[in-house]
Amino acid sequence: MTYPETIDALGVVDYDKWPVPSKFSYKPREFRENDVDIQIDACAICGSDIHAAKGGWGRPYAPVAVGHEIIGKVVKVGSKASSNFKIGDRVGVGARCFYCQNCDACDRGFENNCENKVSTYFGVDKESGVPTQGGDASHIRVDGHMVFHIPDSLETNEAAPLLCGGITGFAPLLDNNVTKGTKIGIVGVGGIGHMAIQFAKALGAEVTAISRTRSKEEDAKKLGATHFVASGDPESMKEHKGTLDIILNTSSSLSQSAIDPLVTLLRARGTIALISFPPADEKIELSAPTLLLPNLTVKGSALGTPEQTQYMLNFAAEHNIKPWVETFDINEKNLSDAWVHVESGKVRYRAVMTGFDKFFGDSRQ
Ligand SMILES: [Zn+2]
Ligand SMILES: [Zn+2]
């Protein structure tokens, strides 16, 4: 059996075999009138995928296909999704596959904070109880509300990383009114940071890239940063003290040694926004005077709303924003190599699995 009865996937069958994925098939939940089925052409690797595949969030179920930066073509459209999608449309799916439209957050338009959200993988479909499966697969079945149109001028491989990493960096720029002249510091020139620098620049902000060492200074400036701070160098930190309106922390470390010095870079009334998941045992501690005397704000941000996500894709097309990607044709060895490469921190700056037609050929139209 192949699609539409079953969907072929490549993922974690045995967590103890990390980093070696295996091929498997799963039976998708029933097709509903709001759904679209997508034949997948590319899926980028988010840091979360590595964490999930290694069992870092426990082992909710196996087999599981990770991957939630998905681009593909629509191959089936439910009756209620047909006003927005047609067969052949190029579309994307991100880290969530369901918002309830019925909780306080959804009612207020903050769907990304939905109490009943379901993740694209490591989630359970509310109605059927079927565990969700991600994008390292031949197809995916998703509620059309969570599916986005990809503008023609974005290349498939370059659009994929926008679906999770891109919106994670872009939504807090919108939410914090980053605009012409805003002095923003972006911590971490990596998967999310390298996109956030481009977005902030396109919004007209004056961007300072902040990284431990100067090894990524040249890249940061190519991406649109005007200034560069080496946070491991006290002189560099002193030079930029009190210069920023907002700091976006994309780095996964929230350790005290990382946060305390960062806050000194803010001007009075500044904001530090945290957008990445640190190890579970890390907490932020700020003393009251540090926070009160300059009227600082600490904010968190998770992904973005569906409306912001579509806006981001259109904005990226309009402003020629392109994630820097390394591509790998999907198969057991290459997915394993790509996971290890991403985990090592050496990827510049997003790994994207491609060539789905070759690997999943039998099940495709
Ligand atoms: Zn992600
Ligand atoms: Zn909700």
Side-chain angles (χ1 to χ4, degrees):
M1 271 196 305
T2 56
Y3 176 84
E5 284 76 30
T6 63
I7 290 177
D8 292 332
L10 181 62
V12 180
V13 173
D14 178 352
Y15 289 94
D16 290 327
K17 290 201 174 140
W18 162 264
V20 180
S22 304
K23 205 169 175 182
F24 65 94
S25 297
Y26 71 93
K27 196 173 172 338
R29 61 169 174 74
E30 81 282 5
F31 189 84
R32 302 179 189 135
E33 51 192 7
N34 288 318
D35 284 345
V36 298
D37 279 359
I38 300 163
Q39 180 173 280
I40 298 171
D41 288 315
C43 185
I45 299 180
C46 173
S48 304
D49 298 350
I50 309 292
H51 206 62
K54 285 180 78 172
W57 282 316
R59 301 176 172 195
Y61 52 83
V64 60
V66 299
H68 59 208
E69 296 183 340
I70 303 165
I71 307 282
K73 276 183 287 295
V74 171
V75 291
K76 185 175 178 182
V77 186
S79 58
K80 284 195 178 160
S82 61
S83 56
N84 201 14
F85 298 100
K86 59 181 192 313
I87 306 284
D89 282 355
R90 195 167 57 125
V91 294
V93 176
R96 302 266 174 78
C97 61
F98 176 80
Y99 291 135
C100 78
Q101 318 289 338
N102 200 27
C103 67
D104 177 58
C106 283
D107 282 349
R108 292 191 291 148
F110 307 133
E111 291 164 279
N112 47 323
N113 306 121
C114 174
E115 290 165 30
N116 304 303
K117 61 189 174 289
V118 179
S119 297
T120 300
Y121 62 81
F122 272 8
V124 174
D125 176 65
K126 305 271 182 214
E127 252 178 85
S128 64
V130 173
T132 57
Q133 297 286 351
D136 290 326
S138 66
H139 296 77
I140 190 166
R141 175 165 294 167
V142 198
D143 184 325
H145 186 63
M146 310 305 287
V147 177
F148 306 100
H149 289 280
I150 306 301
D152 289 343
S153 67
L154 295 180
E155 297 279 348
T156 291
N157 299 341
E158 292 169 346
L162 297 171
L163 273 304
C164 174
I167 190 61
T168 298
F170 187 60
L173 305 181
L174 298 181
D175 292 343
N176 290 287
N177 305 312
V178 169
T179 183
K180 195 166 165 44
T182 305
K183 295 179 193 306
I184 184 169
I186 294 176
V187 183
V189 182
I192 297 176
H194 93 285
M195 293 187 261
I197 291 172
Q198 296 184 65
F199 280 122
K201 171 78 175 174
L203 287 166
E206 184 179 319
V207 181
T208 300
I210 304 167
S211 185
R212 289 285 305 161
T213 69
R214 295 205 170 269
S215 66
K216 292 176 179 168
E217 180 168 4
E218 202 177 309
D219 283 356
K221 293 202 166 153
K222 273 187 211 155
L223 289 160
T226 304
H227 313 287
F228 188 91
V229 176
S231 58
D233 170 7
E235 279 307 307
S236 177
M237 290 293 281
K238 213 160 92 188
E239 193 187 324
H240 292 84
K241 185 170 182 282
T243 59
L244 301 172
D245 298 309
I246 173 167
I247 291 174
L248 192 66
N249 185 33
T250 77
S251 139
S252 61
S253 177
L254 283 188
S255 66
Q256 214 51 37
S257 58
I259 294 293
D260 276 337
L262 274 184
V263 174
T264 66
L265 299 177
L266 288 171
R267 308 165 87 180
R269 309 275 161 155
T271 296
I272 180 163
L274 308 169
I275 62 172
S276 61
F277 278 101
D281 57 346
E282 287 193 4
K283 292 193 169 52
I284 319 163
E285 283 179 28
L286 288 171
S287 72
T290 304
L291 203 57
L292 270 59
L293 298 178
N295 282 39
L296 298 187
T297 302
V298 180
K299 278 190 164 183
S301 178
L303 298 165
T305 66
E307 195 185 344
Q308 287 175 325
T309 305
Q310 187 63 60
Y311 177 74
M312 168 203 64
L313 290 163
N314 300 344
F315 184 91
E318 200 179 310
H319 294 269
N320 201 27
I321 286 166
K322 290 183 177 174
W324 293 9
V325 301
E326 294 181 28
T327 58
F328 296 75
D329 273 350
I330 192 165
N331 60 43
E332 288 86 344
K333 179 180 183 302
N334 288 352
L335 182 56
S336 179
D337 288 352
W339 280 345
V340 171
H341 186 54
V342 171
E343 193 188 28
S344 74
K346 290 187 189 129
V347 65
R348 295 291 180 271
Y349 282 100
R350 209 59 153 176
V352 185
M353 303 314 297
T354 57
F356 283 55
D357 50 340
K358 278 173 269 171
F359 188 67
F360 295 113
D362 294 350
S363 60
R364 295 165 70 97
Q365 297 174 344

